[in-house]
Amino acid sequence: MALSLGDGGGVGGTRLRRHLESGSFAAGEYVKQLSQQSDGDRDLQEHRQRIQALSEETAQSLKRNVYQNYRQFIETAREISYLESEMYQLSHILTEQKGILESVTQALLLQANATDRDDRPATDPHANPFLPISVKEAAAANEEGRQRTLTTLLEKVEGCRDLLPESPGKYLVYNGDLVEYDADHMAQIQRVHAFLMNDCLLVAAWLPNRRGTYRYDALYPLDGLAVVNVKDNPPMKDMFKLLMFPESRIFQAENAKIKKEWLEVLEETKRNRALSEKRRLEQEAMPRAAPPPFEAANPFEEEEDKEEEPPPEEEKVDLSLEWIQELPEDLDVCIAQRDFEGSVDLLDKLSEYLVDKPLSQPVRELRAKVDERVRQLTDVLVFELSPDRSLRGGPRATRRAVSQLIRLGQSTKACELFLKNMAAAVHTAIRQLRIEGATLLYIHKLCHVFFTSLLETAREFETDFAGNNGCYSAFVVWARSAMRMFVDAFSKQVFDSKESLSTAAECVKVAKEHCKQLSDIGLDLTFIIHTLLVKDIKGALQSYKDIIIEATKHRNSEEMWRRMNLMTPEALGKLREEMRSCGVGNFDQYTGDDCWVNLSYTVVAFTKQTMAFLEEALKLYFPELHMVLLESLMEVILVAVQHVDYSLRCEQDPEKKAFVRQNASFLYETVLPVVEKRFEEGVGKPAKQLQDLRNASRLMRVNPESTTSVV
């Protein structure tokens, strides 16, 4: 097959695509033929580019097709869901209509038979006056036999005697062995034996070591049970699904015949149950005939009978309305379709209708049915708010379930579940943060994520629970626990990793600034973050204080009491700027000619380090740290003061002694007043201990004969 490498544009691309898509295409032969016909490396490169372009075009086309098919699949699945719901409702309606027609037919046949018996002459040899009694006896015997069979079978099921009390009307309809499969992975779970009674379905698991004996597994009322046929998909066949919202289970029958029998008998039993329940309600709603008056045999009691007033008749409640009759089923449909608002609207409508009605027996029975649906609806809403659900969407995603729980009178449970959901969301958001190399960058992200979530949660809580003031205390307790979670992550990154005091101060400052944003909604948690951070900040201050003291002691041990020579004017200018930033404004009077400074290196280094410590500590300051900061500052200052005092007492050289005195004057008259002033500005009140330390420093004495430092 001849190949043309020079074809360009759309014609060459189409021809190449057709060749590659042909069924007889062989890659080896194609490459061999291409190599023979090419004039050189350039032709091969051009052909390679065309194939690469065709590959990219094919990939884009596949992506578009996949996306289009995916959208069509979603739409088709949605339509199938709608059709399945409509078909289920239609099947239910047809089943009811069939049951009504059958009951009408049976009633007409019974009436015709009764008419024939009345018209038949008494001398008819076929007449049997005892036939009704025989029918009743046969029915009673049949029912007694079915109950005896039910009792015999249930004796083989462990743990169901207390859960399934005996009642006169309960009897066994159908039973058989089934195999249960997992609804998600279609893996076999266990062998079970199902007992279908006229009002419920009992599922019992096989006991492997005890043949013919079962263990109780579950009991489902037929009112809330739906049966769905599962299409055969080999090797998975002869299966059907039981829906008990929000739960569903899949069972496999032994063969197709038994599966068909299960589906038919389940539907028939459900239909009979619904019809009998409907007839019972109609009979109870019908007005009862008054009993015949009783004729008193004693003539002396006539006067008393005339004086007695008949008891007032109980007011009848009309429960024959169509929407009331269909209310339980409508609630089941709303719950199955996740129409929570519609369910609560129906419950509110019923409550408004029965608000001024007497509590008669039919009303109690209707209430019992509705209460069962309310429990199902509550369970579904609780499941919607469980932390195991998807945490995406933020606090607003829970508003629907929370509002319906509040309407159901479950505000306390709604509050508890809402806060648990938000706690799990905050915890997940913190865990998903990447720990960056720079601590301050990570703390910025951590504070943004946490305080933004807390602010959104507070606003959503205020919206959802606006009329439930009793829930606000629960929110404050939750906020404290959430703040503890934040502080744990904060301290682990800032304090446990031994960051510098300046970095820790910046991180704490960022956290305080974010915490102040909560005051916009009336929530002040500053005192909580102070309480949770006080231990770590104390440790950081004391650790940095020990570092300064050790460094100062080390410099003091090597002190020669010589002037500093900075060598260059630039270095001297830089030192002036540093001292000015520390608050020492008269530093020029301690500078000399040719870059000399009339202070020792030890005193200058101590000044810079102490002022830096004070500035960073003031960023961390809050009232609980007042004494810790003050005591740490005094310990640092005492190291320098005692060293200068000791040098004054021990130095014998007059020139060096004068230089030491000049350094002491700088320390007492310049550095200590600056420390006092800056401390008072940062704290808001003067520190009497620092004033006393400065005043007592000049009076400090050591043993004149001692040659060892006090420090």
Side-chain angles (χ1 to χ4, degrees), residues 263-274:
L263 293 175
E264 291 177 352
V265 76
L266 278 168
E267 289 295 339
E268 182 70 22
T269 307
K270 284 187 60 182
R271 181 167 59 251
N272 294 337
R273 173 70 176 171

Side-chain angles (χ1 to χ4, degrees), residues 395-429:
R396 293 185 180 181
T398 63
R399 180 180 298 178
R400 185 184 180 205
V402 168
S403 61
Q404 302 312 315
L405 272 179
I406 294 174
R407 291 179 63 189
L408 290 173
Q410 302 282 345
S411 57
T412 303
K413 182 178 292 185
C415 175
E416 178 185 356
L417 293 171
F418 172 78
L419 295 178
K420 281 185 179 179
N421 191 289
M422 291 301 101
V426 172
H427 180 67
T428 302

Side-chain angles (χ1 to χ4, degrees), residues 208-455:
N209 299 327
R210 300 168 61 183
R211 186 175 183 85
T213 308
Y214 313 101
R215 184 186 68 254
Y216 171 81
D217 184 76
L219 181 67
Y220 303 109
L222 292 183
D223 296 340
L225 188 69
V227 188
V228 179
N229 182 25
V230 178
K231 293 183 179 180
D232 291 346
N233 185 15
M236 301 301 173
K237 59 180 182 178
D238 304 329
M239 291 184 174
F240 60 92
K241 181 185 292 187
L242 297 181
L243 301 178
M244 304 73 60
F245 194 85
E247 183 184 358
S248 64
R249 301 177 70 171
I250 293 181
F251 298 99
Q252 184 183 44
E254 186 176 352
N255 51 49
K257 180 182 178 182
I258 296 179
K259 170 190 172 181
K260 183 179 179 181
E261 291 178 358
W262 268 110
L263 293 175
E264 291 177 352
V265 76
L266 278 168
E267 289 295 339
E268 182 70 22
T269 307
K270 284 187 60 182
R271 181 167 59 251
N272 294 337
R273 173 70 176 171
L275 289 174
S276 62
E277 192 69 18
K278 186 174 182 180
R279 291 195 199 100
R280 186 179 62 81
L281 290 176
E282 290 176 353
Q283 291 175 0
E284 292 176 352
M286 291 175 60
R288 298 180 181 177
F294 175 73
E295 297 182 359
N298 190 348
F300 297 100
E301 295 180 358
E302 292 181 359
E303 297 295 330
E304 296 179 2
D305 294 339
K306 293 179 181 179
E307 294 178 359
E308 291 181 359
E309 295 182 359
E313 294 185 0
E314 184 180 5
E315 183 182 353
K316 301 299 180 181
V317 181
D318 185 12
L319 299 181
S320 61
L321 299 176
E322 183 178 358
W323 69 270
I324 294 181
Q325 294 292 328
E326 297 178 355
L327 182 64
E329 296 179 359
D330 290 343
L331 287 174
D332 290 338
V333 172
C334 289
I335 295 173
Q337 294 180 350
R338 300 173 57 82
D339 184 9
F340 306 138
E341 294 81 0
S343 302
V344 181
D345 290 341
L346 288 174
L347 294 172
D348 291 344
K349 183 179 179 181
L350 179 65
S351 300
E352 292 176 1
Y353 179 76
L354 298 177
V355 66
D356 55 350
K357 302 294 189 297
L359 192 61
S360 60
Q361 184 62 25
V363 174
R364 290 193 186 96
E365 294 177 356
L366 178 61
R367 287 281 190 188
K369 290 184 179 181
V370 172
D371 290 343
E372 179 64 28
R373 271 70 177 183
V374 170
R375 283 192 291 271
Q376 294 179 9
L377 178 59
T378 303
D379 293 341
V380 174
L381 294 174
V382 168
F383 179 70
E384 288 293 314
L385 290 174
S386 62
D388 298 334
R389 298 282 288 170
S390 177
L391 299 175
R392 297 179 182 177
R396 293 185 180 181
T398 63
R399 180 180 298 178
R400 185 184 180 205
V402 168
S403 61
Q404 302 312 315
L405 272 179
I406 294 174
R407 291 179 63 189
L408 290 173
Q410 302 282 345
S411 57
T412 303
K413 182 178 292 185
C415 175
E416 178 185 356
L417 293 171
F418 172 78
L419 295 178
K420 281 185 179 179
N421 191 289
M422 291 301 101
V426 172
H427 180 67
T428 302
I430 291 177
R431 288 186 59 186
Q432 289 178 349
L433 275 179
R434 295 179 57 188
I435 299 178
E436 305 288 348
T439 301
L440 188 58
L441 178 61
Y442 172 78
I443 294 301
H444 272 286
K445 293 182 178 180
L446 176 65
C447 291
H448 175 73
V449 168
F450 174 76
F451 286 102
T452 301
S453 300
L454 195 62
L455 189 62

Side-chain angles (χ1 to χ4, degrees), residues 512 530 533-539 541 617 620-631 679:
K512 287 182 179 180
H530 286 173
L533 284 176
V534 64
K535 181 179 178 181
D536 292 323
I537 296 179
K538 280 183 180 179
L541 290 175
L620 297 168
Y621 177 82
F622 45 86
E624 290 82 357
L625 295 172
H626 183 82
M627 291 307 300
V628 177
L629 175 57
L630 186 58
E631 291 172 0
F679 186 88

